[in-house]
Structure formats: structure tokens, C-alpha cells
Amino acid sequence: MKLLRQGILIAIEGVDGSGKSTLARNLYLKFISQNIPTLLTKEPGATSLGKRLRSLLHKKPVALCPKTEYLLFAADRAQHSTEVVMPALQKNKIVISDRMGDSSIIYQGYAQGLDIKMIEIINNWTMNGKFPDLVFYVRLSAAQAIKRIKLRNKKLTSFEKEGKPFTQTLVDGFDWLFKNRSNVICLDGRNSPEIITEQAFNNFSAWINKYHE
Ligand code: TMP
């Protein structure tokens, strides 16, 4: 693989239970094993403020209207971009983020009816104008994602508690959003973590050889 002369931002997206966090971790380990400077991060919860916001958003001890919910994700995103993402990109690292702004477009916009154009504007502002160079979309059906979440035997987050119709809306939303995007690589979440990681790495290598001199 060519030496990086600029940072590259990769976002991993998908519904809860799709295997996206496993891919983020495995891809990170793969890059590190090849001595490629890489940072693994996530939204929400990568900064000190983000950890507090993540806990609030996962547990919802008080009711949040969709706009407030989105603005808390946006606050996490602004802090994440400024404190973590931009500095690492300036050091020419690969930054792998487990979720980014597209999750808000789907969870708060498509699924909860917030104005998607408004979310795009605020996302852009919070991300300091830097969108992912590449997105890996781990696609899994709602039924399979819910089955996996139940097998995890972990306390469910407020989003995981929503059930199948909500998850189906999220799958439809991601399919709709990514259909016409040229920088999105869709990976079949039914495959094993090893196969998905290999596919992501091979796609990344092909992409970088094509687009980065
Ligand atoms: P996770 O880190 O375990 O994926 O949990 C984060 C949850 O928050 C997940 O259910 C997706 C949701 N989420 C949103 O609703 N909007 C967002 O912008 C982001 C980043 C996550």
C-alpha cells in the first residue's frame, strides 16, 4: 500500500447488531499490523464530554425530544471532530470511526422525522467541513440484527429497545441514503467477521491505489 501523504477518514455505519463495531476494531488491528498509523474512534463517546453524552443518550434518564436528542449527538460530534478527528488527520493518520454523521441522518432524520437538510447543515458545521472519505456500510436485515442483539445478553440501550419496526426503518433508511453515494462500500453483514474485514481491507487498498497518488 502507498505511504499516506494525507489523513484519511473512514466511517463505519449500520444498524445496531450489524457487526460494525467488530469491523471497526478488526480493520484497525489490520492496519496497525501493517504499520499504517491508524486511530480507532467512535460516535458518540470518544471524548470526556462524549462519554457523558453517550451515557445520557443510551440510558435516557429524562425524556428527550428528537431535536434535543440530535443536538446532543451533534455536541458529541463537534467535540469529537475538534479534539480527536482533525488532529489525527493532520498527522496523516487513517481515522476509523464507528459511526459518524450519517447515523444522525438515519436515526434522527429518516426514522424520527427531523429535517434531513437541517441535520446535514449542522453535521457539516460540527465536523468542521470534513466528511468521511470512505464509508463502509455493514448491511444486515432487521430480523438478523435483532437476533444478534438478543444473543449478546447485554443491557439494551434506548435505541435497541425500540424493536423490529424501528430497526426495519433504519435498514430502509441506510439503503436509501447510500444507494447513490459513490464513496460507500456495502458489506454483507451475514458473512463472518474475518471475511468482512478482509473485504473491507481489499476494498480500501483498491480505493487508495486508485484515488491517492
Ligand atoms: P453504539 O455506539 O453502541 O452504536 O450506540 C450508539 C447508539 O446511538 C446507536 O443505537 C445509534 C445511535 N446514534 C444515533 O441515534 N444518532 C447518531 O448520530 C449516532 C452517532 C448514534
Side-chain angles (χ1 to χ4, degrees), residues 23-68:
L23 171 63
R25 200 171 47 248
N26 286 345
L27 198 55
Y28 165 76
L29 292 174
K30 180 102 185 166
F31 284 134
I32 289 295
S33 74
Q34 309 232 348
N35 293 322
I36 302 168
T38 308
L39 177 88
L40 176 62
T41 186
K42 66 179 177 189
E43 288 186 12
T47 63
S48 300
L49 171 72
K51 285 186 180 63
R52 294 183 184 199
L53 293 172
R54 182 184 171 87
S55 165
L56 182 60
L57 285 157
H58 270 187
K59 295 181 191 150
K60 298 225 180 104
V62 286
L64 303 173
C65 74
K67 283 181 186 166
T68 306

Side-chain angles (χ1 to χ4, degrees), residues 13-14 16 20-21 42-44 54 57-58 69-70 73-74 76-77 98-105 107-108 112 152 157 159-160:
E13 296 283 1
D16 302 277
K20 110 204 119 36
S21 302
K42 66 179 177 189
E43 288 186 12
R54 182 184 171 87
L57 285 157
H58 270 187
E69 182 180 292
Y70 168 65
F73 280 112
D76 169 79
R77 189 158 296 132
D98 181 352
R99 295 194 186 282
M100 289 202 102
D102 288 330
S103 280
S104 281
I105 293 179
Y107 280 76
Q108 281 69 50
Q112 294 187 65
R152 275 184 197 158
T157 68
F159 297 95
E160 290 166 346

Side-chain angles (χ1 to χ4, degrees), residues 102 106 110 135 137 139 170-186:
D102 288 330
I106 299 311
Y110 191 93
V135 176
Y137 168 37
R139 191 184 186 285
L170 298 174
V171 173
D172 294 344
F174 277 119
D175 287 350
W176 162 79
L177 181 66
F178 291 150
K179 197 172 50 192
N180 297 317
R181 285 241 204 115
S182 58
N183 68 336
V184 176
I185 291 163
C186 181

Side-chain angles (χ1 to χ4, degrees), residues 49-184:
L49 171 72
K51 285 186 180 63
R52 294 183 184 199
L53 293 172
R54 182 184 171 87
S55 165
L56 182 60
L57 285 157
H58 270 187
K59 295 181 191 150
K60 298 225 180 104
V62 286
L64 303 173
C65 74
K67 283 181 186 166
T68 306
E69 182 180 292
Y70 168 65
L71 290 170
L72 292 176
F73 280 112
D76 169 79
R77 189 158 296 132
Q79 196 68 26
H80 184 219
S81 173
T82 301
E83 204 178 304
V84 179
V85 176
M86 298 309 274
L89 291 176
Q90 271 148 22
K91 289 183 191 143
N92 294 354
K93 290 191 182 189
I94 292 182
V95 176
I96 300 174
S97 185
D98 181 352
R99 295 194 186 282
M100 289 202 102
D102 288 330
S103 280
S104 281
I105 293 179
I106 299 311
Y107 280 76
Q108 281 69 50
Y110 191 93
Q112 294 187 65
L114 290 191
D115 182 346
I116 288 176
K117 288 267 169 293
M118 180 66 86
I119 293 180
E120 284 172 342
I121 292 167
I122 300 174
N123 275 355
N124 182 29
W125 189 54
T126 59
M127 292 160 93
N128 295 299
K130 177 65 196 170
F131 285 98
D133 298 294
L134 200 57
V135 176
F136 287 112
Y137 168 37
V138 187
R139 191 184 186 285
L140 198 63
S141 71
Q144 285 165 322
I146 286 174
K147 205 165 143 193
R148 282 196 194 163
I149 289 169
K150 284 191 181 144
L151 282 173
R152 275 184 197 158
N153 227 355
K154 268 181 28 193
K155 202 163 183 283
L156 300 184
T157 68
S158 61
F159 297 95
E160 290 166 346
K161 279 184 197 150
E162 290 285 343
K164 191 159 174 227
F166 184 71
T167 306
Q168 185 59 56
T169 306
L170 298 174
V171 173
D172 294 344
F174 277 119
D175 287 350
W176 162 79
L177 181 66
F178 291 150
K179 197 172 50 192
N180 297 317
R181 285 241 204 115
S182 58
N183 68 336
V184 176

Side-chain angles (χ1 to χ4, degrees), residues 184-203:
V184 176
I185 291 163
C186 181
L187 300 165
D188 187 340
R190 292 172 300 180
N191 285 324
S192 70
E194 293 75 23
I195 290 178
I196 297 176
T197 307
E198 204 55 35
Q199 287 174 341
F201 186 77
N202 290 343
N203 272 289

